[in-house]
Amino acid sequence: MPSDFEKVADFANLYRAFKVSMAGKGFTKSRMRFQASALDGVFQLRQQLITKTYEVSPYNEFMVYDPKERLIQACSFKDKIVQHSLCDNVLLPHLSKVFLPDNYAGQIGKGTLFGLNRLESHMRTAYESYGMDCWILKADISKYFYSIGHDKLKEIVRQHVADDDVYWLCEKFIDSTDGVGLPLGNQASQVFALLYLHGLDRYIQEDLGINLWGRYMDDFFLIHPEKSYIKECLRCIKAHMEDLDLSLNGKTQIMPFKNGVKFCGFHTYVTKDGKVIRKLKNENKRVAQKKYRRMAKLVKEDKLCEKKFYESYNAWKNHISHGNCVKLARGMDLMVGGILGMR
């Protein structure tokens, strides 16, 4: 039976990770260089891992502004391959058995739709149990990825990674940036960020006794019939956050159940007769309208490929199809058709 590290360094697994990485977006210089001699490159990576000479290359840093301003630190192509082998063959198979069901992000079979459906189920349960007489705590962590402390993270990772060699590799990626924070462009960062709050998940469910809750990375909600108790939960969660050197941002609030909650891009609420409604958040509507109006004009001016436009636009329409957004979709189709119809 191969050890976990042998799974990571296995040639077949590394080559599979190479092919998965090739399916990603972008054509970086490091990707093109590696592709030119892929078999030799995979062999060299395997040797570096086995001999412990592997090092993480410097990151390519750039800013993105949609939906908000963020610093992205993109890793080199070889590091992407190693991360895929580490995460796909060892970390995620193990941690998926550790994570609680209401931790929704970054796992096979989960995601935003899974989280939205779980939220809907929880809201139905709350309505059937308490009617409209309950409360929602909606919380968001301030600058989560940029605030994760390396030493605390390594303590947590050590609790779940028994193989010393796998832990050595995890340390390489954790300490590939200075002091505090994880690179947003790393697959390993996504997995570590899921794990960093696993203790909070257990605290909410086991110590606070909240059954109607859910978390998508740094965004989470709690539902409870007593406002006084949900206030106490907020106080306890803030104290737990301080132990992790994290804090909740200004969007965190306690609201009546009738107001619903904004989560995973949608505003979900229950009507007085118990029907669950899911609509795209107003700010997301405005962003989409502005984005696709601009893109459609670029297509009309022959500055953007029409196929690329529709790949993006149809993906967005598929996303909003998971909500009660028929009117919005028709309005967007009219807008886009009005622009492109004059080509």
Side-chain angles (χ1 to χ4, degrees), residues 22 26-38 77:
M22 282 294 295
F27 291 90
T28 62
K29 290 181 180 179
S30 63
R31 171 177 172 170
M32 289 186 286
R33 283 196 299 268
F34 199 99
Q35 184 181 2
S37 54
F77 188 69

Side-chain angles (χ1 to χ4, degrees), residues 16-25 31 77 80-81 84:
R16 191 177 300 112
F18 158 72
K19 291 196 290 185
V20 172
S21 300
M22 282 294 295
K25 296 180 179 179
R31 171 177 172 170
F77 188 69
K80 188 175 293 186
I81 294 171
H84 268 297

Side-chain angles (χ1 to χ4, degrees), residues 90-148:
V90 175
L91 294 184
L92 283 173
H94 169 66
L95 293 176
S96 63
K97 301 173 185 176
V98 172
F99 293 148
L100 299 184
D102 282 295
N103 174 354
Y104 308 135
Q107 302 160 69
I108 295 173
K110 292 191 173 182
T112 55
L113 180 57
F114 181 90
L116 287 165
N117 289 339
R118 286 288 289 178
L119 169 61
E120 180 175 334
S121 175
H122 288 329
M123 295 188 82
R124 288 187 191 279
T125 299
Y127 179 82
E128 291 167 1
S129 302
Y130 317 112
M132 291 298 214
D133 191 20
C134 51
W135 298 84
I136 300 174
L137 165 61
K138 175 61 171 57
D140 197 345
I141 299 171
S142 178
K143 299 179 180 178
Y144 179 47
F145 275 79
Y146 305 117
S147 304
I148 294 175

Side-chain angles (χ1 to χ4, degrees), residues 151-170:
D151 290 340
K152 282 188 170 62
L153 174 58
K154 285 187 282 189
E155 289 176 12
I156 295 170
V157 170
R158 179 81 270 191
Q159 294 170 15
H160 295 274
V161 174
D163 189 310
D164 291 339
D165 294 329
V166 172
Y167 180 72
W168 163 80
L169 187 55
C170 289

